[in-house]
Every structure is written in C-alpha cells, then in structure tokens.
mmCIF file of all heavy atoms in Angstrom:
data_model
loop_
_atom_site.group_PDB
_atom_site.id
_atom_site.type_symbol
_atom_site.label_atom_id
_atom_site.label_comp_id
_atom_site.label_asym_id
_atom_site.label_seq_id
_atom_site.Cartn_x
_atom_site.Cartn_y
_atom_site.Cartn_z
ATOM 1 N N ASP A 1 -146.044 36.160 36.912
ATOM 2 C CA ASP A 1 -147.010 35.833 37.962
ATOM 3 C C ASP A 1 -147.837 34.601 37.598
ATOM 4 O O ASP A 1 -148.726 34.218 38.357
ATOM 5 C CB ASP A 1 -147.940 37.007 38.212
ATOM 6 C CG ASP A 1 -148.768 37.390 36.975
ATOM 7 O OD1 ASP A 1 -148.388 36.984 35.867
ATOM 8 O OD2 ASP A 1 -149.760 38.123 37.122
ATOM 9 N N ARG A 2 -147.546 33.939 36.481
ATOM 10 C CA ARG A 2 -148.265 32.721 36.119
ATOM 11 C C ARG A 2 -147.768 31.567 36.990
ATOM 12 O O ARG A 2 -146.591 31.510 37.332
ATOM 13 C CB ARG A 2 -148.038 32.372 34.645
ATOM 14 C CG ARG A 2 -148.461 33.436 33.619
ATOM 15 C CD ARG A 2 -149.956 33.651 33.623
ATOM 16 N NE ARG A 2 -150.377 34.676 34.569
ATOM 17 C CZ ARG A 2 -151.618 34.898 34.930
ATOM 18 N NH1 ARG A 2 -152.576 34.142 34.408
ATOM 19 N NH2 ARG A 2 -151.928 35.854 35.777
ATOM 20 N N PRO A 3 -148.631 30.621 37.344
ATOM 21 C CA PRO A 3 -148.196 29.507 38.174
ATOM 22 C C PRO A 3 -147.216 28.599 37.431
ATOM 23 O O PRO A 3 -147.591 27.887 36.483
ATOM 24 C CB PRO A 3 -149.509 28.761 38.485
ATOM 25 C CG PRO A 3 -150.584 29.723 38.203
ATOM 26 C CD PRO A 3 -150.090 30.603 37.118
ATOM 27 N N ASN A 4 -145.964 28.632 37.830
ATOM 28 C CA ASN A 4 -144.926 27.759 37.257
ATOM 29 C C ASN A 4 -143.986 27.339 38.400
ATOM 30 O O ASN A 4 -143.810 28.076 39.355
ATOM 31 C CB ASN A 4 -144.121 28.498 36.186
ATOM 32 C CG ASN A 4 -144.904 28.651 34.882
ATOM 33 O OD1 ASN A 4 -145.049 27.709 34.117
ATOM 34 N ND2 ASN A 4 -145.379 29.861 34.640
ATOM 35 N N ASP A 5 -143.392 26.178 38.262
ATOM 36 C CA ASP A 5 -142.477 25.689 39.289
ATOM 37 C C ASP A 5 -141.222 26.544 39.375
ATOM 38 O O ASP A 5 -140.769 26.912 40.461
ATOM 39 C CB ASP A 5 -142.079 24.236 39.021
ATOM 40 C CG ASP A 5 -143.268 23.303 39.216
ATOM 41 O OD1 ASP A 5 -143.712 23.150 40.350
ATOM 42 O OD2 ASP A 5 -143.732 22.714 38.216
ATOM 43 N N ILE A 6 -140.644 26.869 38.203
ATOM 44 C CA ILE A 6 -139.428 27.688 38.150
ATOM 45 C C ILE A 6 -139.692 28.823 37.166
ATOM 46 O O ILE A 6 -140.105 28.610 36.036
ATOM 47 C CB ILE A 6 -138.229 26.852 37.643
ATOM 48 C CG1 ILE A 6 -137.965 25.662 38.586
ATOM 49 C CG2 ILE A 6 -136.981 27.722 37.547
ATOM 50 C CD1 ILE A 6 -136.930 24.681 38.056
ATOM 51 N N THR A 7 -139.451 30.052 37.623
ATOM 52 C CA THR A 7 -139.625 31.209 36.802
ATOM 53 C C THR A 7 -138.360 32.076 36.876
ATOM 54 O O THR A 7 -137.857 32.354 37.971
ATOM 55 C CB THR A 7 -140.827 32.069 37.252
ATOM 56 O OG1 THR A 7 -142.010 31.255 37.215
ATOM 57 C CG2 THR A 7 -141.036 33.271 36.343
ATOM 58 N N LEU A 8 -137.861 32.479 35.713
ATOM 59 C CA LEU A 8 -136.684 33.360 35.626
ATOM 60 C C LEU A 8 -137.144 34.682 35.035
ATOM 61 O O LEU A 8 -137.653 34.726 33.905
ATOM 62 C CB LEU A 8 -135.595 32.709 34.785
ATOM 63 C CG LEU A 8 -134.971 31.447 35.409
ATOM 64 C CD1 LEU A 8 -134.203 30.640 34.368
ATOM 65 C CD2 LEU A 8 -134.047 31.837 36.556
ATOM 66 N N VAL A 9 -137.000 35.770 35.799
ATOM 67 C CA VAL A 9 -137.536 37.054 35.425
ATOM 68 C C VAL A 9 -136.390 38.053 35.208
ATOM 69 O O VAL A 9 -135.574 38.266 36.124
ATOM 70 C CB VAL A 9 -138.480 37.604 36.532
ATOM 71 C CG1 VAL A 9 -139.069 38.944 36.098
ATOM 72 C CG2 VAL A 9 -139.605 36.593 36.780
ATOM 73 N N ALA A 10 -136.363 38.659 34.035
ATOM 74 C CA ALA A 10 -135.290 39.604 33.720
ATOM 75 C C ALA A 10 -135.406 40.865 34.584
ATOM 76 O O ALA A 10 -136.487 41.373 34.824
ATOM 77 C CB ALA A 10 -135.345 39.985 32.236
ATOM 78 N N ALA A 11 -134.271 41.331 35.035
ATOM 79 C CA ALA A 11 -134.209 42.534 35.882
ATOM 80 C C ALA A 11 -132.822 43.142 35.713
ATOM 81 O O ALA A 11 -131.902 42.516 35.180
ATOM 82 C CB ALA A 11 -134.488 42.201 37.333
ATOM 83 N N GLU A 12 -132.676 44.382 36.163
ATOM 84 C CA GLU A 12 -131.377 45.032 36.146
ATOM 85 C C GLU A 12 -130.810 45.040 37.553
ATOM 86 O O GLU A 12 -131.467 45.445 38.509
ATOM 87 C CB GLU A 12 -131.490 46.468 35.630
ATOM 88 C CG GLU A 12 -131.526 46.560 34.116
ATOM 89 C CD GLU A 12 -131.249 47.993 33.628
ATOM 90 O OE1 GLU A 12 -130.148 48.512 33.901
ATOM 91 O OE2 GLU A 12 -132.165 48.547 33.020
ATOM 92 N N VAL A 13 -129.594 44.552 37.707
ATOM 93 C CA VAL A 13 -128.881 44.574 38.959
ATOM 94 C C VAL A 13 -127.540 45.269 38.715
ATOM 95 O O VAL A 13 -126.705 44.789 37.935
ATOM 96 C CB VAL A 13 -128.656 43.151 39.510
ATOM 97 C CG1 VAL A 13 -127.779 43.210 40.759
ATOM 98 C CG2 VAL A 13 -129.977 42.477 39.818
ATOM 99 N N ASP A 14 -127.370 46.437 39.353
ATOM 100 C CA ASP A 14 -126.137 47.208 39.180
ATOM 101 C C ASP A 14 -125.845 47.479 37.687
ATOM 102 O O ASP A 14 -124.714 47.374 37.229
ATOM 103 C CB ASP A 14 -124.952 46.495 39.821
ATOM 104 C CG ASP A 14 -125.145 46.329 41.324
ATOM 105 O OD1 ASP A 14 -125.787 47.192 41.944
ATOM 106 O OD2 ASP A 14 -124.648 45.320 41.876
ATOM 107 N N GLY A 15 -126.909 47.813 36.932
ATOM 108 C CA GLY A 15 -126.746 48.110 35.530
ATOM 109 C C GLY A 15 -126.598 46.926 34.629
ATOM 110 O O GLY A 15 -126.420 47.094 33.411
ATOM 111 N N GLN A 16 -126.669 45.719 35.152
ATOM 112 C CA GLN A 16 -126.486 44.514 34.375
ATOM 113 C C GLN A 16 -127.814 43.755 34.279
ATOM 114 O O GLN A 16 -128.512 43.598 35.248
ATOM 115 C CB GLN A 16 -125.438 43.599 35.026
ATOM 116 C CG GLN A 16 -125.247 42.260 34.311
ATOM 117 C CD GLN A 16 -124.278 41.353 35.073
ATOM 118 O OE1 GLN A 16 -123.700 41.758 36.082
ATOM 119 N NE2 GLN A 16 -124.084 40.158 34.560
ATOM 120 N N VAL A 17 -128.146 43.310 33.072
ATOM 121 C CA VAL A 17 -129.356 42.542 32.898
ATOM 122 C C VAL A 17 -129.102 41.101 33.347
ATOM 123 O O VAL A 17 -128.143 40.461 32.913
ATOM 124 C CB VAL A 17 -129.821 42.549 31.424
ATOM 125 C CG1 VAL A 17 -131.035 41.617 31.243
ATOM 126 C CG2 VAL A 17 -130.194 43.954 30.999
ATOM 127 N N CYS A 18 -129.931 40.657 34.250
ATOM 128 C CA CYS A 18 -129.809 39.300 34.762
ATOM 129 C C CYS A 18 -131.207 38.700 34.843
ATOM 130 O O CYS A 18 -132.188 39.315 34.426
ATOM 131 C CB CYS A 18 -129.175 39.305 36.145
ATOM 132 S SG CYS A 18 -130.196 40.155 37.385
ATOM 133 N N LEU A 19 -131.311 37.478 35.354
ATOM 134 C CA LEU A 19 -132.609 36.853 35.552
ATOM 135 C C LEU A 19 -132.736 36.442 37.018
ATOM 136 O O LEU A 19 -131.884 35.747 37.573
ATOM 137 C CB LEU A 19 -132.765 35.638 34.645
ATOM 138 C CG LEU A 19 -132.990 36.061 33.181
ATOM 139 C CD1 LEU A 19 -131.815 35.597 32.346
ATOM 140 C CD2 LEU A 19 -134.273 35.476 32.633
ATOM 141 N N ARG A 20 -133.788 36.936 37.649
ATOM 142 C CA ARG A 20 -134.063 36.616 39.060
ATOM 143 C C ARG A 20 -134.754 35.263 39.128
ATOM 144 O O ARG A 20 -135.708 34.995 38.400
ATOM 145 C CB ARG A 20 -134.960 37.697 39.672
ATOM 146 C CG ARG A 20 -134.391 39.091 39.635
ATOM 147 C CD ARG A 20 -133.453 39.368 40.782
ATOM 148 N NE ARG A 20 -134.102 39.365 42.073
ATOM 149 C CZ ARG A 20 -133.682 40.116 43.102
ATOM 150 N NH1 ARG A 20 -132.636 40.896 42.974
ATOM 151 N NH2 ARG A 20 -134.309 40.070 44.277
ATOM 152 N N LEU A 21 -134.336 34.447 40.063
ATOM 153 C CA LEU A 21 -134.898 33.118 40.238
ATOM 154 C C LEU A 21 -136.125 33.186 41.147
ATOM 155 O O LEU A 21 -136.023 33.625 42.293
ATOM 156 C CB LEU A 21 -133.848 32.161 40.810
ATOM 157 C CG LEU A 21 -134.353 30.764 41.201
ATOM 158 C CD1 LEU A 21 -134.850 30.021 39.968
ATOM 159 C CD2 LEU A 21 -133.227 29.988 41.896
ATOM 160 N N HIS A 22 -137.236 32.718 40.635
ATOM 161 C CA HIS A 22 -138.480 32.582 41.429
ATOM 162 C C HIS A 22 -138.863 31.096 41.451
ATOM 163 O O HIS A 22 -138.718 30.386 40.458
ATOM 164 C CB HIS A 22 -139.628 33.381 40.777
ATOM 165 C CG HIS A 22 -139.423 34.879 40.808
ATOM 166 N ND1 HIS A 22 -138.382 35.484 40.139
ATOM 167 C CD2 HIS A 22 -140.153 35.854 41.391
ATOM 168 C CE1 HIS A 22 -138.487 36.802 40.329
ATOM 169 N NE2 HIS A 22 -139.537 37.047 41.073
ATOM 170 N N LEU A 23 -139.371 30.663 42.621
ATOM 171 C CA LEU A 23 -139.786 29.261 42.757
ATOM 172 C C LEU A 23 -141.177 29.196 43.345
ATOM 173 O O LEU A 23 -141.570 30.057 44.148
ATOM 174 C CB LEU A 23 -138.804 28.507 43.683
ATOM 175 C CG LEU A 23 -137.380 28.351 43.172
ATOM 176 C CD1 LEU A 23 -136.489 27.734 44.286
ATOM 177 C CD2 LEU A 23 -137.327 27.477 41.932
ATOM 178 N N SER A 24 -141.913 28.170 42.939
ATOM 179 C CA SER A 24 -143.240 27.948 43.480
ATOM 180 C C SER A 24 -143.102 27.213 44.793
ATOM 181 O O SER A 24 -142.827 26.019 44.846
ATOM 182 C CB SER A 24 -144.080 27.125 42.514
ATOM 183 O OG SER A 24 -145.362 26.871 43.017
ATOM 184 N N MET A 25 -143.306 27.939 45.913
ATOM 185 C CA MET A 25 -143.066 27.375 47.235
ATOM 186 C C MET A 25 -144.329 27.289 48.074
ATOM 187 O O MET A 25 -144.300 26.756 49.166
ATOM 188 C CB MET A 25 -142.013 28.212 47.978
ATOM 189 C CG MET A 25 -140.639 28.154 47.316
ATOM 190 S SD MET A 25 -139.372 29.060 48.249
ATOM 191 C CE MET A 25 -139.644 30.719 47.688
ATOM 192 N N GLY A 26 -145.433 27.836 47.589
ATOM 193 C CA GLY A 26 -146.640 27.864 48.397
ATOM 194 C C GLY A 26 -147.602 26.769 48.039
ATOM 195 O O GLY A 26 -147.204 25.666 47.662
ATOM 196 N N GLN A 27 -148.869 27.080 48.144
ATOM 197 C CA GLN A 27 -149.932 26.130 47.804
ATOM 198 C C GLN A 27 -150.230 26.184 46.333
ATOM 199 O O GLN A 27 -149.726 27.038 45.584
ATOM 200 C CB GLN A 27 -151.173 26.437 48.642
ATOM 201 C CG GLN A 27 -150.976 26.348 50.141
ATOM 202 C CD GLN A 27 -150.532 24.952 50.585
ATOM 203 O OE1 GLN A 27 -151.093 23.927 50.154
ATOM 204 N NE2 GLN A 27 -149.513 24.885 51.445
ATOM 205 N N ARG A 28 -151.075 25.269 45.918
ATOM 206 C CA ARG A 28 -151.484 25.198 44.520
ATOM 207 C C ARG A 28 -152.039 26.548 44.070
ATOM 208 O O ARG A 28 -152.948 27.085 44.661
ATOM 209 C CB ARG A 28 -152.531 24.099 44.352
ATOM 210 C CG ARG A 28 -153.047 23.857 42.948
ATOM 211 C CD ARG A 28 -153.942 22.636 42.999
ATOM 212 N NE ARG A 28 -154.482 22.310 41.686
ATOM 213 C CZ ARG A 28 -155.713 22.589 41.289
ATOM 214 N NH1 ARG A 28 -156.528 23.208 42.137
ATOM 215 N NH2 ARG A 28 -156.144 22.248 40.105
ATOM 216 N N GLY A 29 -151.475 27.088 42.975
ATOM 217 C CA GLY A 29 -151.941 28.352 42.433
ATOM 218 C C GLY A 29 -151.300 29.592 42.998
ATOM 219 O O GLY A 29 -151.521 30.692 42.495
ATOM 220 N N ASP A 30 -150.482 29.448 44.072
ATOM 221 C CA ASP A 30 -149.816 30.635 44.634
ATOM 222 C C ASP A 30 -148.778 31.180 43.664
ATOM 223 O O ASP A 30 -148.196 30.449 42.860
ATOM 224 C CB ASP A 30 -149.109 30.257 45.954
ATOM 225 C CG ASP A 30 -150.086 30.095 47.104
ATOM 226 O OD1 ASP A 30 -151.285 30.386 46.908
ATOM 227 O OD2 ASP A 30 -149.658 29.680 48.182
ATOM 228 N N LEU A 31 -148.511 32.480 43.767
ATOM 229 C CA LEU A 31 -147.558 33.097 42.888
ATOM 230 C C LEU A 31 -146.140 32.579 43.167
ATOM 231 O O LEU A 31 -145.798 32.328 44.328
ATOM 232 C CB LEU A 31 -147.585 34.624 43.053
ATOM 233 C CG LEU A 31 -148.909 35.336 42.771
ATOM 234 C CD1 LEU A 31 -148.729 36.831 42.943
ATOM 235 C CD2 LEU A 31 -149.408 35.016 41.391
ATOM 236 N N PRO A 32 -145.301 32.470 42.131
ATOM 237 C CA PRO A 32 -143.909 32.127 42.359
ATOM 238 C C PRO A 32 -143.245 33.215 43.245
ATOM 239 O O PRO A 32 -143.547 34.395 43.111
ATOM 240 C CB PRO A 32 -143.312 32.114 40.943
ATOM 241 C CG PRO A 32 -144.466 31.981 40.033
ATOM 242 C CD PRO A 32 -145.617 32.649 40.702
ATOM 243 N N GLN A 33 -142.348 32.773 44.127
ATOM 244 C CA GLN A 33 -141.724 33.696 45.074
ATOM 245 C C GLN A 33 -140.274 33.973 44.697
ATOM 246 O O GLN A 33 -139.507 33.067 44.320
ATOM 247 C CB GLN A 33 -141.774 33.129 46.473
ATOM 248 C CG GLN A 33 -143.206 32.925 47.004
ATOM 249 C CD GLN A 33 -143.242 32.360 48.388
ATOM 250 O OE1 GLN A 33 -142.378 32.635 49.216
ATOM 251 N NE2 GLN A 33 -144.236 31.536 48.673
ATOM 252 N N ASP A 34 -139.898 35.247 44.774
ATOM 253 C CA ASP A 34 -138.531 35.665 44.454
ATOM 254 C C ASP A 34 -137.575 35.107 45.519
ATOM 255 O O ASP A 34 -137.745 35.332 46.716
ATOM 256 C CB ASP A 34 -138.485 37.203 44.442
ATOM 257 C CG ASP A 34 -137.140 37.745 43.991
ATOM 258 O OD1 ASP A 34 -136.264 36.948 43.548
ATOM 259 O OD2 ASP A 34 -136.936 38.959 44.082
ATOM 260 N N THR A 35 -136.531 34.419 45.065
ATOM 261 C CA THR A 35 -135.539 33.862 46.005
ATOM 262 C C THR A 35 -134.467 34.863 46.397
ATOM 263 O O THR A 35 -133.659 34.581 47.282
ATOM 264 C CB THR A 35 -134.869 32.636 45.377
ATOM 265 O OG1 THR A 35 -134.103 33.050 44.228
ATOM 266 C CG2 THR A 35 -135.889 31.579 45.006
ATOM 267 N N GLY A 36 -134.406 36.004 45.690
ATOM 268 C CA GLY A 36 -133.352 36.964 45.934
ATOM 269 C C GLY A 36 -132.038 36.602 45.237
ATOM 270 O O GLY A 36 -131.016 37.265 45.409
ATOM 271 N N LEU A 37 -132.066 35.555 44.409
ATOM 272 C CA LEU A 37 -130.878 35.134 43.678
ATOM 273 C C LEU A 37 -131.042 35.460 42.186
ATOM 274 O O LEU A 37 -132.156 35.503 41.677
ATOM 275 C CB LEU A 37 -130.681 33.616 43.831
ATOM 276 C CG LEU A 37 -130.548 33.108 45.276
ATOM 277 C CD1 LEU A 37 -130.480 31.581 45.280
ATOM 278 C CD2 LEU A 37 -129.321 33.688 45.938
ATOM 279 N N TRP A 38 -129.894 35.671 41.519
ATOM 280 C CA TRP A 38 -129.962 35.953 40.101
ATOM 281 C C TRP A 38 -128.848 35.241 39.359
ATOM 282 O O TRP A 38 -127.880 34.770 39.962
ATOM 283 C CB TRP A 38 -129.918 37.463 39.840
ATOM 284 C CG TRP A 38 -128.725 38.200 40.391
ATOM 285 C CD1 TRP A 38 -128.568 38.691 41.653
ATOM 286 C CD2 TRP A 38 -127.516 38.527 39.667
ATOM 287 N NE1 TRP A 38 -127.366 39.294 41.774
ATOM 288 C CE2 TRP A 38 -126.693 39.232 40.569
ATOM 289 C CE3 TRP A 38 -127.093 38.333 38.365
ATOM 290 C CZ2 TRP A 38 -125.434 39.716 40.213
ATOM 291 C CZ3 TRP A 38 -125.838 38.809 37.999
ATOM 292 C CH2 TRP A 38 -125.024 39.519 38.914
ATOM 293 N N ILE A 39 -129.055 35.144 38.079
ATOM 294 C CA ILE A 39 -128.139 34.377 37.212
ATOM 295 C C ILE A 39 -127.938 35.168 35.930
ATOM 296 O O ILE A 39 -128.856 35.882 35.482
ATOM 297 C CB ILE A 39 -128.710 32.996 36.910
ATOM 298 C CG1 ILE A 39 -127.691 32.087 36.231
ATOM 299 C CG2 ILE A 39 -129.960 33.069 36.066
ATOM 300 C CD1 ILE A 39 -127.067 31.095 37.152
ATOM 301 N N GLU A 40 -126.779 35.064 35.351
ATOM 302 C CA GLU A 40 -126.559 35.714 34.052
ATOM 303 C C GLU A 40 -127.240 34.887 32.964
ATOM 304 O O GLU A 40 -127.357 33.675 33.073
ATOM 305 C CB GLU A 40 -125.059 35.842 33.786
ATOM 306 C CG GLU A 40 -124.361 36.784 34.762
ATOM 307 C CD GLU A 40 -122.899 36.996 34.440
ATOM 308 O OE1 GLU A 40 -122.472 36.602 33.345
ATOM 309 O OE2 GLU A 40 -122.176 37.572 35.282
ATOM 310 N N PRO A 41 -127.703 35.565 31.910
ATOM 311 C CA PRO A 41 -128.473 34.859 30.875
ATOM 312 C C PRO A 41 -127.782 33.626 30.313
ATOM 313 O O PRO A 41 -128.435 32.604 30.095
ATOM 314 C CB PRO A 41 -128.675 35.935 29.786
ATOM 315 C CG PRO A 41 -128.683 37.228 30.545
ATOM 316 C CD PRO A 41 -127.662 37.018 31.646
ATOM 317 N N GLN A 42 -126.468 33.692 30.106
ATOM 318 C CA GLN A 42 -125.785 32.548 29.509
ATOM 319 C C GLN A 42 -125.690 31.349 30.444
ATOM 320 O O GLN A 42 -125.350 30.233 30.016
ATOM 321 C CB GLN A 42 -124.363 32.952 29.045
ATOM 322 C CG GLN A 42 -123.409 33.293 30.155
ATOM 323 C CD GLN A 42 -123.429 34.773 30.520
ATOM 324 O OE1 GLN A 42 -124.407 35.473 30.209
ATOM 325 N NE2 GLN A 42 -122.342 35.246 31.153
ATOM 326 N N ASP A 43 -126.012 31.561 31.722
ATOM 327 C CA ASP A 43 -125.926 30.460 32.680
ATOM 328 C C ASP A 43 -127.309 29.889 33.048
ATOM 329 O O ASP A 43 -127.421 29.058 33.956
ATOM 330 C CB ASP A 43 -125.242 30.959 33.979
ATOM 331 C CG ASP A 43 -123.788 31.347 33.735
ATOM 332 O OD1 ASP A 43 -123.125 30.689 32.926
ATOM 333 O OD2 ASP A 43 -123.330 32.326 34.355
ATOM 334 N N CYS A 44 -128.350 30.332 32.339
ATOM 335 C CA CYS A 44 -129.727 29.898 32.693
ATOM 336 C C CYS A 44 -129.908 28.394 32.510
ATOM 337 O O CYS A 44 -130.489 27.729 33.373
ATOM 338 C CB CYS A 44 -130.730 30.639 31.836
ATOM 339 S SG CYS A 44 -131.076 32.313 32.432
ATOM 340 N N ILE A 45 -129.414 27.865 31.413
ATOM 341 C CA ILE A 45 -129.640 26.436 31.137
ATOM 342 C C ILE A 45 -128.898 25.567 32.152
ATOM 343 O O ILE A 45 -129.498 24.621 32.696
ATOM 344 C CB ILE A 45 -129.298 26.083 29.676
ATOM 345 C CG1 ILE A 45 -130.106 26.935 28.719
ATOM 346 C CG2 ILE A 45 -129.542 24.607 29.431
ATOM 347 C CD1 ILE A 45 -131.608 26.895 28.923
#
C-alpha cells in the first residue's frame, strides 16, 4: 500500500505463488491499483 509506480505483490493463484501487478494510476499519493494480472517470480525482471 506504499506509494510506488509499480508494485508486485505475492499471492496464491490456483495453489501457485505468483506476483500480482499493481500500478499507480490515480492522483499523487493514491494507493497502487491491482491490474488483475500476475506473473511468475522468475519472469518479474
């Protein structure tokens, strides 16, 4: 919930640990918003 442009948050999807993509899309200081997309840890970079 810290103000960052790109935030990747670990979560479980169908028993698999992944990272949910959050982006800062609002005004200054708004919380990053979940895009509904996820990525496997090895593909983060």
Side-chain angles (χ1 to χ4, degrees):
D1 61 344
R2 302 294 89 193
N4 286 284
D5 291 294
I6 301 171
T7 302
L8 293 163
V9 181
E12 278 196 62
V13 175
D14 298 329
Q16 176 184 358
V17 175
C18 64
L19 287 114
R20 301 276 294 210
L21 174 63
H22 294 63
L23 295 173
S24 179
M25 295 184 276
Q27 299 300 314
R28 182 173 180 259
D30 285 353
L31 300 183
Q33 297 180 34
D34 185 8
T35 64
L37 303 175
W38 57 276
I39 190 103
E40 294 184 12
Q42 67 270 20
D43 296 324
C44 280
I45 302 306

